Amino acid sequence: MQFEQTFMNFLMNHQEKYNRTHHFLILMDALIGAAKHIQYYYLTGALRGHLGFADCVNVQGEDVMRMDVIANEITIHYLTTTGKVIQAVSEETTDIIPLNEESGRYFVYFDPLDGSSNVSHGLPVGFLFGIAKRNLDGPEDFHLRAGKDYIAAGMFVIPTGTFTIALKGAGTWRFHMDETMNYVKPARMMLPENVKSWELSYNAANDYTYAQSIQKWISENGRKYAFRYLGALAGDFHRTLTKGGMFMYPAIINHPDPKKNRPAGKLRLMYEASVVAFMCEEAGGSAVDEKGTPILDIVPENHHQRTALYVGSKPLIEDIANILKS
Ligand code: FBP
């Protein structure tokens, strides 16, 4: 019989190796529990009629899916049970969620169900999270953390049962769900240097609305790489991490209908862009915004702040960053 190392065993060894505490194990156990619960509801969603709209809009002004509400409720429940979370930020909750502000140890920023346009089709979506730690050397001022201050970030691709997590200074690791619904078999992820496997991923229907410099870059370089687009950040970035290349969601600034312009970008900084940027950097890649600024250096002014995103293999991101800065 073949037995694989479980994620929790991997993490306990990591905590022991770096002389860390049990607190983080309790938090990660809760996030794993939430992901499995969300996976179950998504897998049975079509049968149970959970894949429709919830007849309400979220703080972003977007129509909310029933599964967004279910996934958000499940995640907040599990985070609350730990007693370890100071505050949480969720894409589906307008305000910052106070949980254990006195004795909590971590801030958790999450998107409980990323890739809404795939939900009604039962296609892959994601559960994204970023974790930062309380200031243990003095009073906590509850400021919103930049990605570079995260201690961990990860994503579950649902319902494929793939879990990828990056631990600060310890790399990015991928796990797969086994027959007992445990995440097992840790594999270290490093973006491949061989450009032959690189892929580009972006919403090609929008390319005429991007900055002229980005449109020019696409026309000069687009055909050098395979093109793939799932329409869910978790799924698309999952491929970028495996194959190399670049995922991008540029600012939309030349849309014929000015109301559809998104000069600040579409994706959310704290629980989408910083999460994939953190995982990408721990896997040897990088990520920038529309000004060519490293995503992990951006200090949020608002917990639902948006940003443009270019993430992937360093040579491509450096190339794009030089164009964006010029
Ligand atoms: P939410 O679904 O969580 O709002 O996330 C935004 C998102 O769906 C990303 O997952 C994806 O990369 C992008 O928007 C797709 O946007 P578009 O449909 O404009 O290509």
Side-chain angles (χ1 to χ4, degrees), residues 58 62 68 91-92 111 113-117 202-203 206 229 231-234 236 247 249 266-268 272:
N58 65 16
E62 292 154 345
D68 287 324
E91 182 189 66
E92 298 307 330
D111 181 352
L113 206 83
D114 167 74
S116 318
S117 61
Y202 61 96
N203 185 337
N206 291 340
Y229 191 67
L233 175 62
D236 286 313
F247 169 90
Y249 206 106
K266 174 186 181 178
L267 300 177
R268 276 50 58 131
E272 291 176 328

Side-chain angles (χ1 to χ4, degrees), residues 6-222:
T6 66
F7 167 68
M8 288 312 284
N9 179 277
F10 166 90
L11 191 61
M12 283 188 255
N13 285 299
H14 171 85
Q15 293 298 98
E16 197 173 53
K17 180 176 171 194
Y18 293 97
N19 205 9
R20 302 259 166 80
T21 70
H22 66 285
H23 302 294
F24 189 65
L25 296 171
I26 293 171
L27 176 59
M28 284 312 307
D29 179 60
L31 286 167
I32 296 277
K36 290 180 183 175
H37 225 137
I38 295 168
Q39 167 121 347
Y40 170 76
Y41 272 90
Y42 195 58
L43 271 174
T44 58
L47 282 179
R48 293 173 165 221
H50 291 318
L51 300 187
F53 286 96
D55 301 330
C56 61
V57 295
N58 65 16
V59 64
Q60 343 268 350
E62 292 154 345
D63 292 325
V64 176
M65 310 296 290
R66 272 208 212 101
M67 271 306 302
D68 287 324
V69 177
I70 292 169
N72 197 40
E73 206 177 305
I74 287 171
T75 309
I76 293 171
H77 161 73
Y78 275 89
L79 293 180
T80 306
T81 61
T82 67
K84 303 290 177 191
V85 180
I86 307 163
Q87 294 172 337
V89 167
S90 166
E91 182 189 66
E92 298 307 330
T93 305
T94 304
D95 300 324
I96 291 175
I97 308 161
L99 291 175
N100 226 318
E101 295 190 328
E102 281 315 303
S103 60
R105 193 179 174 85
Y106 305 106
F107 295 94
V108 180
Y109 316 115
F110 68 95
D111 181 352
L113 206 83
D114 167 74
S116 318
S117 61
N118 284 357
V119 172
S120 51
H121 310 286
L123 290 171
V125 292
F127 172 21
L128 305 169
F129 65 88
I131 300 169
K133 207 161 156 180
R134 170 185 287 277
N135 174 13
L136 298 175
D137 309 326
E140 174 55 55
D141 63 4
F142 302 97
H143 73 278
L144 298 173
R145 266 49 173 191
K148 65 180 179 217
D149 299 327
Y150 290 10
I151 60 168
M155 67 180 188
F156 300 87
V157 180
I158 292 168
T160 65
T162 305
F163 168 43
T164 307
I165 184 167
L167 299 163
K168 189 137 185 146
T172 297
W173 299 80
R174 181 165 289 164
F175 299 81
H176 297 278
M177 190 177 269
D178 72 5
E179 64 276 18
T180 66
M181 286 194 80
N182 263 323
Y183 292 101
V184 300
K185 202 175 180 183
R188 178 124 191 207
M189 305 299 295
M190 288 302 287
L191 284 148
E193 288 176 11
N194 179 352
V195 299
K196 286 206 179 71
S197 74
W198 290 6
E199 297 175 342
L200 277 189
S201 182
Y202 61 96
N203 185 337
N206 291 340
D207 62 8
Y208 71 106
T209 69
Y210 300 154
Q212 292 306 333
S213 57
I214 297 299
Q215 291 188 44
K216 184 166 176 290
W217 186 91
I218 292 172
S219 63
E220 289 166 358
N221 298 280

